[in-house]
Amino acid sequence: MTDKIIFFDTTLRDGEQSPGCSMFLEEKIRIARHLEVMGVDIIEAGFPIASEGDFESVKAVASEIKQTKVAALARALDGDIIRASEALKSAAIPRIHTFVATSDIHLEYKLKKSREEVLEMTRRGVTLAANLADDVEFSAEDATRSDRDFLYKVLDAAVESGAKTLNIPDTVGYCTPTEMASLVKDIVERFAASDIIISVHCHNDLGLAVANTLAAIEAGARQVECTINGIGERAGNAALEEIAMALIVRADHFGIGHNIDSKQLYPASKLLSSVISFGVQPNKAIVGRNAFAHEAGIHQHGVLSNPLCYEIMTPESVGAPKSDIVLGKHSGRHALLAKLSELGYKPDKDEIEGLYNKFISLADKKKNIYDQDLIGLISSQNDAAAAA
């Protein structure tokens, strides 16, 4: 078992499948280059059988990326797997990622196949993939809603047929962290005598994707599948930046490293946002506009005295701009003084009280206080002093 977490980024595949997130080929290559610089271990470049465009995208990324493993997704069907192999021909380090659903609801309504037929699809698909690539990953789609005994039979069949990584997807974001930890722990123990890597792929339908991923890591998973900004189907995937920083900030708790260069997280977020034409919510952890912004007076005083009072990581550590003291009606005198100092104005004790009262009065009327507003307050105060 690896002593590091393997980051498997699926921004270009699962991420792109979400509404509004489609990308042109050159945009995918730009993002793939940044992922490689950032230290991502595996880039899932697309689903080659899905379209000619997806095939060409995987082929282009595979040709461009030389240090990072490039994966292509394929159902456990001969045509899918062969197409994935063709798209990966120029990859320096290729991986075929094949999957089949294992939950009863998927078998009955989507696949319309029996359990025995799914077992045979697994054996045939993984065997073919292993004959076409040295590195094969197998995913049991909807694993967290599958019957455990059947799930284990499918995973056993995948390993016997040549899979080196077993991925446990929480495909519909149904699982809780306790349930995820229990499932992963059982699977890790089942394959403890082998070199099989256990992976998780968590969706965010209940807002638990990152929590479930971290629970899986604690239970022994050593590969995590995630996306920049958490984009993906429906409510999205586990956010790469949140997982990476949780492992860094709480290294005392998790005790396991990874290859991600955290200073590239914010630039990666901004790059993706520019490509898909929409950004993250302001309060998004790690990369949101307000992630290092403070308006409350008590918080501002603490941060100005020592950022560690209210920041568990520095903006610089994720490649973000420095902490932002946002002036508003909740701000205190310390924040106002700090901002005035930035503007080159140092009021004395007599002046500050008058300025602060005028500032609060203005802040009650305006949602946002800008530098020019403060300059106006200073000018009015100076004019009043001159008139007196």
Side-chain angles (χ1 to χ4, degrees):
M1 181 179 289
T2 177
D3 61 351
K4 282 187 175 182
I5 297 301
I6 298 166
F7 272 78
F8 178 112
D9 182 275
T10 185
T11 302
L12 301 181
R13 199 277 301 170
D14 199 333
E16 198 206 13
Q17 289 176 193
S18 54
C21 292
S22 61
M23 308 172 207
F24 296 124
L25 189 148
E26 184 53 43
E27 293 170 335
K28 286 190 173 187
I29 292 174
R30 283 173 59 204
I31 290 171
R33 286 174 183 150
H34 191 92
L35 293 174
E36 184 172 42
V37 169
M38 191 165 67
V40 163
D41 301 282
I42 304 159
I43 298 171
E44 187 167 54
F47 193 179
I49 199 71
S51 69
E52 186 63 28
D54 236 35
F55 177 85
E56 291 300 329
S57 293
V58 175
K59 185 177 176 182
V61 171
S63 298
E64 181 74 24
I65 301 302
K66 299 304 178 187
Q67 303 301 317
T68 300
K69 193 171 292 185
V70 176
L73 186 67
R75 292 168 297 182
L77 299 172
D78 290 5
D80 281 40
I81 293 166
I82 291 168
R83 191 67 167 158
S85 173
E86 290 170 348
L88 292 170
K89 275 184 179 176
S90 61
I93 322 172
R95 169 180 287 190
I96 294 177
H97 178 196
T98 189
F99 72 97
V100 68
T102 54
S103 67
D104 288 336
I105 191 169
H106 276 244
L107 266 64
E108 180 179 355
Y109 293 100
K110 187 180 77 171
L111 296 181
K112 302 187 185 305
K113 293 186 180 296
S114 68
R115 290 185 174 185
E116 279 306 314
E117 286 176 308
V118 167
L119 274 170
E120 181 53 34
M121 284 179 68
T122 302
R123 294 188 188 99
R124 180 183 176 90
V126 175
T127 298
L128 175 59
N131 285 331
L132 296 172
D134 291 333
D135 187 356
V136 175
E137 174 178 341
F138 173 78
S139 285
E141 186 184 8
D142 206 20
T144 57
R145 293 195 298 171
S146 300
D147 174 76
R148 282 208 186 185
D149 287 339
F150 177 60
L151 174 63
Y152 295 163
K153 286 180 182 178
V154 172
L155 296 179
D156 287 344
V159 170
E160 289 164 6
S161 302
K164 295 181 179 179
T165 298
L166 295 177
N167 183 45
I168 313 302
D170 186 25
T171 302
V172 293
Y174 179 76
C175 212
T176 68
T178 302
E179 291 170 331
M180 179 61 80
S182 172
L183 176 60
V184 170
K185 183 174 182 291
D186 282 355
I187 295 170
V188 167
E189 289 176 352
R190 189 177 190 87
F191 296 100
S194 69
D195 293 326
I196 301 299
I197 299 294
I198 305 303
S199 170
V200 290
H201 178 116
C202 298
H203 278 264
N204 205 40
D205 298 72
L206 293 176
L208 295 171
V210 171
N212 283 333
T213 300
L214 294 174
I217 289 171
E218 290 186 286
R222 287 299 175 263
Q223 177 178 292
V224 295
E225 304 198 359
C226 45
T227 60
I228 300 299
N229 292 347
I231 66 169
E233 294 275 10
R234 303 179 312 281
N237 290 277
L240 183 151
E241 60 275 3
E242 295 177 25
I243 302 167
M245 289 311 295
L247 295 176
I248 290 172
V249 174
R250 294 308 312 274
D252 61 316
H253 177 77
F254 293 102
I256 188 162
H258 54 74
N259 294 324
I260 299 296
D261 177 358
S262 66
K263 292 182 180 179
Q264 297 299 325
L265 294 173
Y266 185 81
S269 172
K270 299 301 286 184
L271 172 60
L272 178 63
S273 294
S274 70
V275 164
I276 62 177
S277 299
F278 64 84
V280 298
Q281 70 269 29
N283 64 327
K284 167 75 171 66
I286 315 301
V287 294
R289 187 177 70 241
N290 290 348
F292 298 98
H294 308 272
E295 183 180 333
I298 294 173
H299 285 221
Q300 290 173 334
H301 185 196
V303 167
L304 289 168
S305 300
N306 184 335
L308 291 176
C309 286
Y310 286 103
E311 291 180 356
I312 59 172
M313 68 196 92
T314 66
E316 294 80 8
S317 69
V318 300
K322 67 176 185 176
S323 301
D324 189 13
I325 298 297
V326 179
L327 292 182
K329 65 181 181 179
H330 303 110
S331 300
R333 291 167 179 78
H334 291 92
L336 178 59
L337 275 169
K339 182 59 78 171
L340 290 173
S341 179
E342 285 181 20
L343 296 173
Y345 184 66
K346 292 183 168 41
D348 59 33
K349 289 182 180 179
D350 294 332
E351 292 174 310
I352 187 59
E353 200 60 33
L355 276 171
Y356 181 71
N357 290 333
K358 289 179 180 178
F359 159 72
I360 289 298
S361 177
L362 181 62
D364 277 333
K365 299 171 187 174
K366 290 191 66 176
K367 289 186 176 181
N368 300 303
I369 302 296
Y370 300 102
D371 289 356
Q372 55 265 39
D373 294 316
L374 296 180
I375 293 169
L377 289 179
I378 294 167
S379 296
S380 66
Q381 174 118 331
N382 289 341
D383 290 344

